[in-house]
Amino acid sequence: MISTAAAEIGTIVDERRHIIYEYDRKDAFASFLPGIAGPDGTPSWCFYTNRGQGVASFGHSDKHHPILEFLPADQAYQQTARLGFRTFLRDSYGCYREPFGNRDAGCQKATRMMMIGLSGLSLVEEDDSFRFEVGYATLPGEKYPALIRYLRITNISDLTSQADIIDGLPRLTPYGIGDGILKSMSTTAAAWIETDLRYPEVPGFRVRASIGDTVEVKPVNGCHFMVAVAEHRGVSRVLHPIVDPASIFGSDLSFSIPNTFRNIGLDGVVSQKPSLFSRFPSGFAPVDTVLEPGEYIDLYSMYGYASSPEVILDLKDQWSSGTWFREKITQYEHHVAETVCPFVMSTAWPNLDAYTLQTALDNTLRGGKPIVWGRGTKSRVFHLYSRKHGDMERDYNDFALPAQRYSAGLGNYRDMNQNRRIDVVVNPNVGTADIHLFVDLIQMDGYNPLIVKSGGFQLKEQMELSGLSNVFTPGDLLDAGYSRNDISIVLEASDYQPDADFGEGYWTDHWTYNLDLIDQYLRIYPDRERDLFFGETTYRWRRCGVLVRPLKERFKLVDGAVVPKEHLILNDRSGGFLSHRSSLLEKLAVLAVIKCATLGPSECGLEMEAGRPGWYDALNGLPGLFGSSLSDGVELLRLLHLLLGVMAGDTEQSICLPVPVWDLMNKLTLSWQKEDPHRRWMERWDARDEYRSKVAGYDVVMNSRPMIFVAEFLRAQELRLAAGLDSAAIENNGILPTYYRHDPTGWDLLETGFAVPSGFTRHVLPLFLEGAVKHMKISITTESKLRIHERVEQSPLFDRTLGMYVLNAPLEHQPQTIGRAKAFPEGWLENGSVWLHMEYKYLLELLRSGDGSLFWNTAKRCLVPFLDAVRYGRSPYENSSFIASSRYPVEASRGRGFIGRLSGATAEYLTMWSEFLLGEQPFFLMDGELNFQPKPVLPGDMFRDDGTLKFRLFGDTEIVYRNPKRRDLLSDSRRYLQSIITTKDGVDKTWGTWLSSVPATNLRNGVFDRLVVNFE
């Protein structure tokens, strides 16, 4: 085991680490540090791989602010051992070694291991004389971002050894040089570099002025810096970093071998005058020491960003002690552990326990950790730590970790929405905040912006707040000099203001994730259903800045060929909100109407009219083929079920909708009187084009009418859609298709010169697992769900070799024009691989089928912690986006996970986690009163030897299940005997088979310290 300073302290979470022996000889993989710096800290990003000393790149803010250049994964695998952190040691006998280096350069006999945990990674190498231990941490609790590196060198020989040591980076990036410049003109950019040695113990690195070839040349005030401290025999000393790589490597600026150091030692290196011009600097810490047998030296280094050299002057004195660095490493581990505390679980399956924590951490990193100030209507919610899922394997994404305290990055609408699904389940005080955010961003045209930013707060009453902009974040308050205690006071007097950008288009499925948010809210608050839908008339309408192009302006006849124009009219990306506010019911009713108007030619799937498919955007060509998503047709049916259930009994109540919506409903009703399906399709297009022209970014007139008019319209739509989906499944051998494409049979030329299709031929795409998932969602009985499951296992969707479920059946007979999925080899990426988040959606539906035994038998084949770690190729506690299936031509890669961690699989697993621990509806109404009764779905061998299983509820209350005989709790036949509540003051009270109104409410409010549930 590694005995690093961090590990010596321990944390509030029992962190189980995955160990990879001889890690550099295994297939390469990519991962990252969580980048958590605590609420009062400023985050940095750091990516690593199992090569060299791990870290491949790091920096702050985004990939355009690197300290060690951001590299795509394939390049990182090649270059990390050379351009990443390096350690050189020359002992008293003149023997040179580079731990973690090229094994062909004298490291053949060394043993190595990598340990991966929640907080990141640590490494160990051991040879005949020395043991080297390395660890990394994000600097917590400070105004500036930085990466801390820890190195311990122990003399494990029987002889006293004098050692010259150099440790650090052969090349780092000065502030002011971004990713684009590094990739395209780094040689030229070197002329701008300035290495500041006014404080030689803390050198600064930046460019002298902005590099861009523009009229305005701007000064560059910020700088990157390095500091290093050695601690030996309890004494710390600040080191003077080596900033000229030629001082160490001589003329070998490929950085292969440190010739100067190897030949003349440390004294010879430090005696050279550094060259500081037209060269990227190095960042090495030099130290010499004498180590007795069993003795060690600790070397701490930090690489970060300061807003000016003067900041370094103010801070450098606190960086002079090893104690300071150890305390920061401990704080970092504490913040990471605190983030996952609500998900702590103790079972007889430690791998599943550890996997749950890692999954919770990664879910938080993509969706954010909700921080709640106040309660009830005065509560304010802000999400920390969120980031777009960009990493070395997702090199196409521009992630962002804003360099400020209370940092929150941007993300995609669908991703954030999906990952925040669990918020209210672990922290009921979040309330409706997530629903508000994502429903607020829905526009009257039924679409939403792609990029969701952190947003901020705006004062709703007069207060004197100096140093703040109109919209501010909690971090802005701290930067302006306000205390943490002031935050709650200020936010209570403020309203949250969402912020979003149009991004890259409109996807068909984004709106559907709001249904899951609502389901999870009602799972915890079934007693607040009416308030949710009717009580708050504060939901906003995002302005329609980017418009869907009308059908009759979409296709031109040019030289006898039909030429399509772009699906969208990009005339205004300003966003903002309309003045009118609505209830949730009203917003969802408008959404349902416009989606009913968007049914494709086959009338059971939503048309990809805006140019983007759903989440499976590797079918990027399908919108151009008049593609329809039947999965989103199912979600529309779910929305109709929800609305009709809420409206039942209240149909005489008024509902206030935009006048164009009432008109759209009338036109859609008339369109269904046409017998010709193509005529109906054309009329739906005409109706929604007219509707969208009336709501295109403008405030509209609202009109109230009895709800019965809306209910009758939705009921008719529900019946038609349900029948259409049933027929589609029957025609497809009992599994619902996921996608249709429609080829025009001809074109009608309009007087305007545009053309419209005169008819279609429908084509059913091969099976996709998503269709089966959605089919199970609307299947009512256990028997019907299990029939679908049996058909899936008999279909190409089941990979019998892996025992897992692949994304789709073979696409070989599909045209290349359906999208890039067709270009991928089978079994890889979005073509026949095990796409984990969709397979997990499938597992979730199996859990909800009512057959607990089937679920767990399947889960033990499919959930990552049960996979063979060697075959999986990375930590079995971390998810991947996909696993190469047995259809992939490269046999050695089959069963390996790729594109790790920040995946939708985290949200699906945590939903499963909550439901197999508590049941699908733990809070329920009986005679109008709230009650609580968990109905876990747990196999007996999941209970520990003492018959207990423990987890936390709402982050506050410890739940203990006692099952002394370790019987399976897999169905309603389980026997719930009694509950014992322990209050915060230590008083026990026994209850029967469920908690009635008052204790159930208190449990939800976090009043109890412990709840023990006894099963027979």
Side-chain angles (χ1 to χ4, degrees):
M1 278 293 196
I2 296 178
S3 55
T4 63
E8 290 169 357
I9 303 299
T11 65
I12 55 177
V13 168
D14 180 18
E15 183 174 339
R16 186 176 178 86
R17 291 174 175 248
H18 176 62
I19 302 175
I20 305 176
Y21 295 98
E22 308 304 329
Y23 65 87
D24 58 318
R25 288 174 168 159
K26 303 294 193 297
D27 289 336
F29 65 87
S31 194
F32 54 90
L33 299 190
I36 286 176
D40 294 333
T42 305
S44 60
W45 53 265
C46 176
F47 298 105
Y48 70 85
T49 182
N50 56 326
R51 294 293 182 264
Q53 297 197 38
V55 169
S57 58
F58 69 95
H60 59 93
S61 303
D62 49 42
K63 68 171 66 173
H64 306 290
H65 293 84
I67 298 176
L68 177 60
E69 180 183 357
F70 175 86
L71 294 173
D74 63 327
Q75 297 179 38
Y77 302 153
Q78 299 164 8
Q79 301 188 44
T80 297
R82 183 169 53 89
L83 298 180
F85 284 102
R86 309 276 292 276
T87 304
F88 311 124
L89 186 148
R90 191 172 184 267
D91 65 20
S92 51
Y93 305 101
C95 180
Y96 159 81
R97 56 174 52 79
E98 181 184 354
F100 310 103
N102 188 336
R103 289 185 184 271
D104 293 333
C107 301
Q108 298 95 332
K109 296 181 180 179
T111 60
R112 294 175 179 169
M113 67 177 177
M114 171 181 278
M115 302 176 68
I116 302 171
L118 289 169
S119 52
L121 81 157
S122 48
L123 309 169
V124 168
E125 173 169 310
E126 192 171 293
D127 59 24
D128 294 338
S129 301
F130 295 98
R131 177 182 174 90
F132 302 88
E133 304 170 57
V134 171
Y136 301 94
T138 299
L139 176 70
E142 298 291 344
K143 296 180 181 180
Y144 55 94
L147 177 72
I148 295 175
R149 170 177 164 83
Y150 164 69
L151 169 66
R152 172 173 288 182
I153 302 175
T154 304
N155 180 4
I156 59 174
S157 73
D158 296 330
L159 302 174
T160 300
S161 180
Q162 180 177 341
D164 290 349
I165 303 162
I166 294 179
D167 180 80
L169 289 173
R171 167 175 159 142
L172 55 78
T173 306
Y175 181 71
I177 299 179
D179 189 63
I181 291 175
L182 285 171
K183 299 292 189 290
S184 63
M185 52 175 283
S186 58
T187 299
T188 303
W192 274 264
I193 292 174
E194 175 180 77
T195 300
D196 186 347
L197 292 179
R198 282 180 290 173
Y199 318 120
E201 69 275 27
V202 192
F205 313 100
R206 63 179 175 182
V207 295
R208 296 182 185 88
S210 58
I211 296 179
D213 188 14
T214 58
V215 173
E216 184 181 10
V217 179
K218 299 179 181 179
V220 175
N221 296 318
C223 67
H224 294 151
F225 67 88
M226 175 195 176
V227 64
V229 172
E231 187 175 77
H232 183 217
R233 298 172 183 169
V235 178
S236 297
R237 53 174 164 152
V238 178
L239 308 177
H240 285 202
I242 299 169
V243 298
D244 181 6
S247 300
I248 300 170
F249 293 91
S251 60
D252 180 18
L253 294 185
S254 69
F255 309 133
S256 297
I257 301 173
N259 287 309
T260 304
F261 173 71
R262 189 174 65 170
N263 295 333
I264 63 177
L266 187 59
D267 288 342
V269 169
V270 298
S271 65
Q272 298 182 65
K273 183 177 180 180
S275 175
L276 306 179
F277 299 99
S278 300
R279 178 179 292 166
F280 277 77
S282 63
F284 279 106
V287 63
D288 58 346
T289 189
V290 175
L291 296 176
E292 300 294 336
E295 199 172 26
Y296 61 84
I297 183 171
D298 288 334
L299 182 60
Y300 301 95
S301 54
M302 182 168 66
Y303 300 77
Y305 162 76
S307 57
S308 71
E310 290 69 33
V311 171
I312 293 176
L313 179 62
D314 293 338
L315 295 171
K316 67 185 185 70
D317 289 343
Q318 72 179 5
W319 301 332
S320 61
S321 166
T323 301
W324 184 87
F325 285 92
R326 282 193 298 277
E327 289 175 350
K328 287 300 180 182
I329 292 171
T330 301
Q331 289 175 23
Y332 163 69
E333 286 198 332
H334 176 84
H335 285 309
V336 173
E338 188 178 49
T339 300
V340 300
C341 256
F343 302 90
V344 169
M345 181 172 69
S346 178
T347 73
W349 299 343
N351 274 15
L352 186 66
D353 298 344
Y355 171 75
T356 300
L357 294 181
Q358 182 69 60
T359 299
L361 176 64
D362 293 343
N363 192 79
T364 298
L365 295 182
R366 198 165 82 147
K369 175 185 178 180
I371 303 296
V372 184
W373 290 274
R375 296 181 73 93
T377 58
K378 294 184 177 180
S379 68
R380 298 293 181 270
V381 180
F382 192 76
H383 284 76
L384 307 184
Y385 309 141
S386 57
R387 62 195 289 180
K388 196 172 185 178
H389 57 354
D391 52 57
M392 295 194 297
E393 289 185 276
R394 296 181 183 90
D395 44 16
Y396 52 86
N397 264 348
D398 281 338
F399 58 88
L401 283 78
Q404 68 169 155
R405 292 177 289 176
Y406 279 89
S407 179
L410 53 80
N412 289 346
Y413 182 99
R414 172 179 54 223
D415 303 334
M416 277 190 169
N417 193 326
Q418 184 180 23
N419 290 94
R420 291 184 185 180
R421 182 196 309 165
I422 199 69
D423 282 0
V424 74
V425 177
V426 296
N427 186 351
N429 292 327
V430 169
T432 60
D434 290 329
I435 298 174
H436 260 287
L437 169 63
F438 293 106
V439 173
D440 277 356
L441 293 176
I442 295 289
Q443 302 163 175
M444 282 193 179
D445 65 356
Y447 291 108
N448 56 270
L450 173 67
I451 304 299
V452 178
K453 301 180 180 179
S454 62
F457 295 89
Q458 186 176 41
L459 289 172
K460 58 184 178 182
E461 54 189 59
Q462 293 299 319
M463 289 182 67
E464 292 294 328
L465 293 178
S466 60
L468 290 176
S469 59
N470 183 42
V471 178
F472 54 87
T473 68
D476 293 332
L477 285 170
L478 294 181
D479 291 343
Y482 297 92
S483 69
R484 292 190 68 177
N485 292 333
D486 293 329
I487 294 177
S488 182
I489 298 171
V490 173
L491 297 190
E492 187 176 315
S494 307
D495 284 326
Y496 177 72
Q497 299 296 329
D499 190 13
D501 279 341
F502 165 75
E504 301 155 21
Y506 293 144
W507 277 256
T508 63
D509 67 339
H510 281 194
W511 64 274
T512 68
Y513 292 83
N514 293 305
L515 301 182
D516 295 326
L517 282 181
I518 292 168
D519 284 348
Q520 290 301 315
Y521 177 84
L522 294 176
R523 185 167 171 255
I524 305 302
Y525 289 108
D527 51 328
R528 298 186 185 177
E529 180 182 83
R530 186 169 182 81
D531 286 342
L532 173 66
F533 288 101
F534 296 93
E536 299 179 36
T537 56
T538 55
Y539 286 85
R540 287 172 270 206
W541 292 94
R542 179 150 175 104
R543 194 179 302 277
C544 304
V546 179
L547 310 178
V548 178
R549 187 179 297 277
L551 176 65
K552 293 178 180 178
E553 299 174 12
R554 185 167 290 202
F555 301 96
K556 271 275 191 179
L557 195 62
V558 179
D559 297 329
V562 175
V563 179
K565 301 183 74 173
E566 290 293 329
H567 287 72
L568 299 176
I569 302 173
L570 308 179
N571 66 337
D572 175 16
R573 300 187 182 202
S574 60
F577 292 93
L578 304 176
S579 62
H580 183 75
R581 304 261 181 139
S582 298
S583 69
L584 178 60
L585 181 72
E586 290 164 345
K587 281 217 70 169
L588 294 182
V590 172
L591 181 63
V593 173
I594 186 61
K595 294 306 175 185
C596 287
T598 317
L599 288 173
S602 298
E603 298 181 339
C604 52
L606 294 193
E607 186 169 350
M608 300 171 185
E609 52 156 2
R612 296 284 185 175
W615 76 271
Y616 185 66
D617 48 16
L619 289 179
N620 51 300
L622 197 56
L625 303 175
F626 293 93
S628 293
S629 167
L630 281 76
S631 293
D632 299 322
V634 170
E635 295 298 324
L636 175 56
L637 186 61
R638 285 183 65 206
L639 176 59
L640 296 173
H641 286 337
L642 175 68
L643 291 173
L644 288 168
V646 172
M647 292 177 180
D650 288 296
T651 52
E652 296 305 317
Q653 182 173 326
S654 292
I655 184 170
C656 186
L657 303 178
V659 169
V661 174
W662 295 110
D663 294 340
L664 179 59
M665 281 193 286
N666 290 334
K667 287 183 171 61
L668 291 177
T669 299
L670 291 173
S671 73
W672 283 104
Q673 297 175 9
K674 303 294 189 297
E675 292 186 4
D676 178 15
H678 185 72
R679 184 70 251 164
R680 294 198 295 266
W681 177 77
M682 290 288 297
E683 292 201 5
R684 284 196 298 275
W685 257 105
D686 288 343
R688 68 179 183 265
D689 283 344
E690 181 182 351
Y691 165 79
R692 283 174 175 153
S693 69
K694 296 175 181 177
V695 299
Y698 311 109
D699 283 310
V700 295
V701 177
M702 311 297 289
N703 190 6
S704 293
R705 296 183 186 177
M707 197 181 300
I708 191 170
F709 293 115
V710 179
E712 288 177 347
F713 171 82
L714 297 180
R715 177 66 69 190
Q717 302 297 316
E718 178 195 41
L719 293 173
R720 292 191 190 98
L721 183 55
L725 291 168
D726 284 344
S727 295
I730 292 169
E731 293 170 3
N732 202 48
N733 298 318
I735 301 177
L736 186 71
T738 306
Y739 302 109
Y740 288 155
R741 61 182 175 89
H742 300 86
D743 293 342
T745 55
W747 295 86
D748 291 331
L749 186 63
L750 306 178
E751 293 181 356
T752 57
F754 289 95
V756 296
S758 58
F760 291 107
T761 300
R762 189 191 73 186
H763 301 275
V764 184
L765 267 66
L767 286 175
F768 282 76
L769 187 60
E770 184 176 7
V773 168
K774 301 296 186 177
H775 197 180
M776 292 174 77
K777 269 184 178 291
I778 55 173
S779 298
I780 299 174
T781 66
T782 295
E783 291 74 17
S784 60
K785 293 176 186 287
L786 296 185
R787 279 197 299 272
I788 296 169
H789 173 67
E790 290 169 1
R791 292 185 177 109
V792 167
E793 295 216 323
Q794 295 166 5
S795 78
L797 296 176
F798 185 50
D799 186 326
R800 286 168 176 77
T801 302
L802 297 181
M804 304 179 82
Y805 304 90
V806 299
L807 186 55
N808 57 279
L811 301 175
E812 71 263 27
H813 299 302
Q814 294 300 307
Q816 198 71 42
T817 51
I818 63 171
R820 61 179 178 268
K822 174 70 173 175
F824 298 147
E826 277 200 88
W828 186 258
L829 284 170
E830 294 113 316
N831 184 8
S833 71
V834 178
W835 202 265
L836 208 62
H837 104 252
M838 186 51 63
E839 183 183 56
Y840 277 21
K841 283 179 180 289
Y842 186 75
L843 290 178
L844 177 58
E845 294 309 314
L846 283 185
L847 174 61
R848 292 170 173 173
S849 73
D851 191 332
S853 179
L854 173 63
F855 165 74
W856 280 109
N857 288 337
T858 309
K860 288 178 182 179
R861 294 196 319 259
C862 298
L863 288 179
V864 167
F866 298 111
L867 302 182
D868 179 271
V870 174
R871 186 177 196 178
Y872 185 54
R874 57 186 304 120
S875 170
Y877 311 139
E878 298 177 356
N879 292 308
S880 300
S881 280
F882 75 93
I883 295 171
S885 75
S886 61
R887 281 156 50 185
Y888 187 51
V890 182
E891 186 173 353
S893 293
R894 296 171 186 171
R896 282 193 63 206
F898 296 90
I899 312 182
R901 300 180 57 176
L902 297 190
S903 153
T906 61
E908 303 307 326
Y909 171 73
L910 292 177
T911 305
M912 282 187 268
W913 167 80
S914 176
E915 293 192 12
F916 67 62
L917 287 174
L918 292 171
E920 199 168 348
Q921 192 66 56
F923 289 93
F924 60 96
L925 297 181
M926 186 165 58
D927 298 328
E929 296 289 330
L930 182 70
N931 293 269
F932 172 81
Q933 183 184 47
K935 292 186 177 180
V937 182
L938 302 170
D941 60 353
M942 193 171 172
F943 287 80
R944 301 183 302 178
D945 289 342
D946 62 358
T948 65
L949 184 152
K950 299 179 182 179
F951 62 98
R952 302 199 70 80
L953 183 62
F954 307 143
D956 291 322
T957 304
E958 182 186 42
I959 305 295
V960 181
Y961 287 161
R962 287 179 180 165
N963 181 13
K965 297 181 181 179
R966 301 180 73 198
R967 290 179 172 172
D968 290 342
L969 306 178
L970 299 177
S971 67
D972 287 335
S973 62
R974 56 200 161 225
R975 189 173 175 194
Y976 183 130
L977 294 179
Q978 64 176 0
S979 301
I980 302 173
I981 294 171
T982 303
T983 62
K984 296 291 186 183
D985 56 7
V987 176
D988 289 346
K989 185 171 182 180
T990 301
W991 288 80
T993 55
W994 66 77
L995 302 185
S996 58
S997 178
V998 173
T1001 301
N1002 287 338
L1003 177 69
R1004 194 170 61 187
N1005 290 338
V1007 171
F1008 302 136
D1009 187 61
R1010 193 173 193 236
L1011 173 65
V1012 177
V1013 180
N1014 290 308
F1015 293 92
E1016 183 181 44

